[in-house]
Amino acid sequence: MRAPTYGMRGGLKDFDRGSRNVSHAYGKSTLLTYGVKAEGGIALESESERMVAHLFNLDPEVGSYSPQPFAIELTMGAIARNDEEKGDLRARAKRHGGKAAFYTPDFGATWVSGTKVAVEVKLDRFPGDEEYQRKLRLARKVLFSHGMEFLKLVTPSNWRHPLRTNLPLLHQASMRRDIWPEPEIAKRIHDLHAAGAKTMGEFLSGLALDARMAPLLLVSGHLEADVVEQPLCFATPTAPAFGDLSHLQMVRRLAQ
């Protein structure tokens, strides 16, 4: 029986695939998304990675990010940013009678403070074995020596988890600035809060808005809610945000 063959996947030329290119064969899926902070379209390898990309887009602490930005050589403590540099490190290791061992973070990001961070994405039901944990510990030490942070972000596998249901709505709302509420609505929100409004439903009713406006009010900084632990609905505990977006600081909350 002939083994299956796969064609080449087209249409990825304009998408950032990072230093460890996403497979270009049809035998492996690729997820595409768009990120303002990634300066365009990016190609990712898993739903968890796309979820984290959306977190980066929303989190006000994140200034920019890119997928698979570089490879870390774990035995020599070096960083390779392209195939040529990886080849040089392989040759150096071979000259010393060894073999290069590379680890590639899923993302590289820069906080608005300017600090750079490498990010590993993991699904909560697949924590990884001891060898995987050892690799991450080595990677953390190498990155620290280069002045970078390292974060492992654990994403929920349960499709009913509030973060999974809220994030797509918030991400879409973040890209529709053309329909964000006008700043003048802040006064009405303050008055509703003073009158006792404490839930998303009470604020929406008082503003004469329907449920579709809830994500827009959150990403524009008019209202705040715990979007990681609370499903977005009329009963969601809500308060005025007064322009503050700290309720969208989700990246560090998921870090381990």
Side-chain angles (χ1 to χ4, degrees), residues 210-225:
D210 63 35
R212 292 173 295 182
M213 291 298 294
L216 295 164
L217 290 165
L218 290 169
V219 299
S220 61
H222 287 294
L223 292 176
E224 64 175 15

Side-chain angles (χ1 to χ4, degrees), residues 11 21 30 35 49 72 111 113 133 158 166 192 212 237 248-249:
N21 285 343
T30 292
E49 288 184 12
I72 303 168
W111 302 119
S113 65
Q133 303 299 335
N158 184 352
N166 294 339
L192 288 169
R212 292 173 295 182
L248 300 179
Q249 291 176 349

Side-chain angles (χ1 to χ4, degrees), residues 2-253:
R2 181 180 296 178
T5 59
Y6 300 101
M8 303 295 287
R9 178 186 290 116
L12 291 180
K13 292 182 180 179
D14 295 330
F15 287 83
D16 183 358
R17 292 181 288 174
S19 65
R20 184 189 67 202
N21 285 343
V22 175
S23 174
H24 56 274
Y26 284 118
K28 189 173 184 179
S29 63
T30 292
L31 298 175
L32 307 179
T33 192
Y34 178 83
V36 174
K37 297 179 184 179
E39 299 184 351
I42 53 177
L44 304 170
E45 292 184 337
S46 69
E47 180 62 35
S48 291
E49 288 184 12
R50 181 162 63 180
M51 183 178 180
V52 170
H54 292 174
L55 286 172
F56 288 151
N57 290 333
L58 290 164
D59 195 317
E61 284 191 302
V62 178
S64 63
Y65 70 95
S66 60
Q68 302 171 350
F70 47 74
I72 303 168
E73 205 296 310
L74 299 173
T75 59
M76 291 177 279
I79 291 180
R81 300 186 182 278
N82 52 51
D83 289 340
E84 182 179 356
E85 291 181 1
K86 289 177 73 173
D88 291 343
L89 290 172
R90 288 192 182 97
R92 187 196 305 177
K94 187 175 181 180
R95 287 196 301 270
H96 289 83
K99 184 177 180 181
F102 290 101
Y103 159 72
T104 303
D106 292 312
F107 290 98
T110 303
W111 302 119
V112 292
S113 65
T115 303
K116 296 186 181 300
V117 57
V119 178
E120 171 75 3
V121 178
K122 203 67 177 173
L123 201 61
D124 58 4
R125 62 182 177 183
F126 299 115
D129 57 17
E130 178 52 36
E131 176 59 24
Y132 167 79
Q133 303 299 335
R134 187 184 73 85
K135 181 185 292 187
L136 294 190
R137 288 193 294 269
L138 287 173
R140 187 186 299 274
K141 291 180 180 178
V142 173
L143 288 165
F144 181 78
S145 71
H146 286 268
M148 285 184 271
E149 289 186 49
F150 178 78
L151 294 179
K152 183 174 77 170
L153 299 188
V154 179
T155 61
S157 55
N158 184 352
W159 286 95
R160 293 185 177 182
H161 190 284
L163 188 60
R164 282 197 169 271
T165 58
N166 294 339
L167 196 54
L169 301 174
L170 296 169
H171 182 251
Q172 291 174 14
S174 71
M175 296 190 294
R176 291 302 310 272
R177 287 178 174 265
D178 57 313
I179 57 173
W180 280 15
E182 296 296 331
E184 292 74 19
I185 202 174
K187 175 63 166 59
R188 296 168 60 193
I189 289 174
H190 178 270
D191 292 342
L192 288 169
H193 177 64
K198 295 181 179 179
T199 66
M200 180 61 73
E202 290 170 345
F203 280 104
L204 290 173
S205 297
L207 296 169
L209 299 174
D210 63 35
R212 292 173 295 182
M213 291 298 294
L216 295 164
L217 290 165
L218 290 169
V219 299
S220 61
H222 287 294
L223 292 176
E224 64 175 15
D226 185 349
V227 295
V228 174
E229 299 293 342
Q230 295 288 335
L232 190 55
C233 63
F234 270 41
T236 305
T238 308
F242 303 111
D244 181 28
L245 295 177
S246 59
H247 55 284
L248 300 179
Q249 291 176 349
M250 298 175 279
V251 173
R252 290 193 185 276
R253 286 187 65 180

